[in-house]
Amino acid sequence: MCGIAGWVSFERDLTQQQAVLDAMTETMACRGPDGSGTFVRPHAGLGHRRLAIIDLPGGTQPMSFGTPAGDVGLIYSGETYNFRELREQLAAQEHSFTTDSDTEVVLHAYLQWGEAMVDHLNGMYAFAIWDQRDEKLLMVRDRMGIKPFYYHPTPDGVLFGSEPKAILANPLAERVVDRDGLRELFAFTKAHGWALWKGMREVLPGTVITVDRNGIRERTYWRLEAVEHTDGRAETVDRVRELMTDIVRRQLISDVPRCVLLSGGLDSSAITGLAARQLAEHGERLRTFSVDFADQEQNFVPDEMRDTPDSPFVREVAALVRSAHHDVVLDPGDLSSLAVRRAVIGARDIPAGLGDMDTSLYLLFKAIREQSTVALSGESADEVFGGYRWFHDPEAVRANTFPWMAFGNALRNEARWEMLEPGLRDRLELTDYVDAEYATACAEVDQLDGASEIERRMRTVCHLHLTRFVRQLLDRKDRMSMAVGLEVRVPFCDHRLVEYVYNTPWSLKTFDGREKSLLRHATKHVLPQSVVDRVKSPYPSTQDPGYAANLQQLGKELLADHDSELFGILDRNWLQQAVAEDPSRMEPQVRMGLDRAIDLHTWLEMYSPRLQLD
């Protein structure tokens, strides 16, 4: 896992732009604390920061291969989990290797198969290849969008990087945010290609982008397709178990210490159980980590999303698998620290407004990094297997919008948008924007002929989650973890599992009358019964009113700054009312609004964007 940055210019001599390329590369230092390097040719500059995971001495980048017609250079971020099999295939084709790294395998895969190499890869990755033979750049992103990748077209080429900050370090990229950028920030639809900054785009998952003297071209090499599922219930459960066992085995490969993120829910507990069993076969003991909040278990109050605290289930799983377990316990002061918030915004490049759910994740990863460099996560199981509560809420399923926007009452769009300055709220036309994005997303879904109405609708709901919702969570997890140099792997995003489960009928996904039936039955052999029976509970959020009170104090400080650009975005009257509420009775949308207000103010200070909102 690493950070990459680069610049292609067909009208400049980039050998004279080393300082700019170095500055772009240096912004990725957090992603790659173990080494750095650049590859520079007249019209291409590639920069790399390395987090050493596999073949510590041999995986140095950029990596290049010389040919009589010109060099081929590669910068690569991520992991290719089937690199050993690919290495054997390539060796049979007379390729020779000088390292044991997966990066060299990817380079030789390109030399052997060209752009078609993408069809051979299993992993999480974002990489760029400069082929001097054709003066051509390839940018490639993994199928599910686990690894981030952004680009910014220029009049004579392109800028690119793992994160927007790498691109913004180049003087050609202006720090402009317009209404189009701001709409998605508040809409939460994960519009294709959105990157907040004007002129910048996200490389879409499952996509190859080619840049040469003829311009920029995009090709989708993978997408979800509707295929008839022919396996019965028993065969399907067995296949999911088989896939999960193989995926965890592959993703445990590492030359540095690894662990599992354990929340006590079905998803992370399944990964924990499978990983512990496999490591035990080699005489190893698994490390597990959990995040918790001071006094949360004793004072827990069930709410719309969470029926039970995590801690009792975490203890049961850790005891069952005999892991070396560590709880990271946080208090309101940790969660509302402005220093931590700045670190979070610096990691994500956007004012996401998720508050303690972001700061706690960052602090958890920071604590884990002191003992491990790789962590396996249960992220994405809910999207793959249909675990969220709104999957099982008839009103949310039938709603003519994204299901996560139609569930419950607390976080409906209109409530989330009340914080916006009224004139700006009108100009953003967020309701129309969400409706348009929803229509676009639904139009992308392939359906099987003869499928029932409920199966067609549930395929659409699953597709929305796998192509929209999960991408937001994957970006968050990557950016938080890589900000502290921790590689987080997501077994549930293996494309073989995603394709297989996506095409199982909804009736099979819920055959026992519960959410995630297939996962539960495929992994119950490694779980305590309490976790098998537990109802879905999302990532934890503190219930301590002290956190809300801290937000209110920060909000009062914002109100004291009468010249702040913040109030071109935020409604001052809304903020005045929010800071006057009783923190022990604060509604979720108000607390979220306070978090967003503080994030916006911090982001404006840190990035100094030029706002074009009229």
Side-chain angles (χ1 to χ4, degrees), residues 348-359:
R348 299 196 65 181
D349 295 316
I350 62 172
L354 294 182
D356 67 302
M357 290 191 290
D358 268 357
T359 54

Side-chain angles (χ1 to χ4, degrees), residues 248-474:
V248 171
R249 176 184 61 81
R250 291 176 182 273
Q251 298 199 18
L252 284 172
I253 295 173
S254 172
D255 293 334
V256 294
R258 64 260 202 249
C259 67
V260 173
L261 308 176
L262 175 60
S263 70
L266 175 62
D267 315 336
S268 66
S269 299
I271 301 297
T272 298
L274 292 169
R277 176 169 291 198
Q278 294 187 22
L279 291 182
E281 293 174 357
H282 301 283
E284 293 185 56
R285 187 185 184 194
L286 178 67
R287 289 190 181 99
T288 53
F289 289 84
S290 299
V291 67
D292 200 3
F293 307 111
D295 301 322
Q296 179 96 329
E297 184 176 356
Q298 298 91 319
N299 300 320
F300 181 82
V301 178
D303 59 27
E304 184 179 52
M305 299 295 291
R306 302 168 181 86
D307 294 332
T308 54
D310 290 340
S311 297
F313 301 95
V314 168
R315 289 193 294 269
E316 283 200 54
V317 175
L320 178 67
V321 305
R322 299 181 179 179
S323 66
H325 183 71
H326 307 269
D327 286 313
V328 178
V329 181
L330 306 171
D331 63 32
D334 300 323
L335 298 170
S336 56
S337 162
L338 277 178
V340 175
R341 192 176 291 264
R342 289 180 66 86
V344 165
I345 292 172
R348 299 196 65 181
D349 295 316
I350 62 172
L354 294 182
D356 67 302
M357 290 191 290
D358 268 357
T359 54
S360 65
L361 191 64
Y362 173 84
L363 292 169
L364 170 64
F365 289 155
K366 186 176 181 181
I368 291 173
R369 186 61 176 88
E370 296 175 1
Q371 301 183 53
S372 295
T373 311
V374 171
L376 273 64
S377 165
E379 190 82 271
S380 307
D382 290 305
E383 291 81 3
V384 174
F385 289 95
Y388 292 116
R389 297 193 178 193
W390 47 79
F391 274 94
H392 309 275
D393 179 80
E395 182 180 348
V397 168
R398 289 194 302 264
N400 191 32
T401 190
F402 296 98
W404 54 90
M405 296 183 183
F407 179 72
N409 297 310
L411 300 178
R412 290 191 185 277
N413 289 333
E414 290 77 7
R416 291 191 291 116
W417 300 337
E418 284 177 357
M419 64 173 293
L420 292 171
E421 191 276 324
L424 175 63
R425 186 167 64 233
D426 292 341
R427 293 194 300 277
L428 291 180
E429 300 177 310
L430 289 167
T431 299
D432 291 344
Y433 174 82
V434 170
D435 290 346
E437 283 299 319
Y438 176 70
T440 297
C442 290
E444 297 170 351
V445 185
D446 289 336
Q447 299 284 357
L448 291 176
D449 293 338
S452 67
E453 182 179 347
I454 184 61
E455 288 292 346
R456 292 173 67 87
R457 179 56 185 166
M458 294 315 298
R459 182 180 289 278
T460 296
V461 169
C462 291
H463 194 280
L464 293 172
H465 282 79
L466 291 168
T467 59
R468 296 286 184 132
F469 194 80
V470 76
R471 292 178 183 177
Q472 304 184 70
L473 301 184
L474 290 171

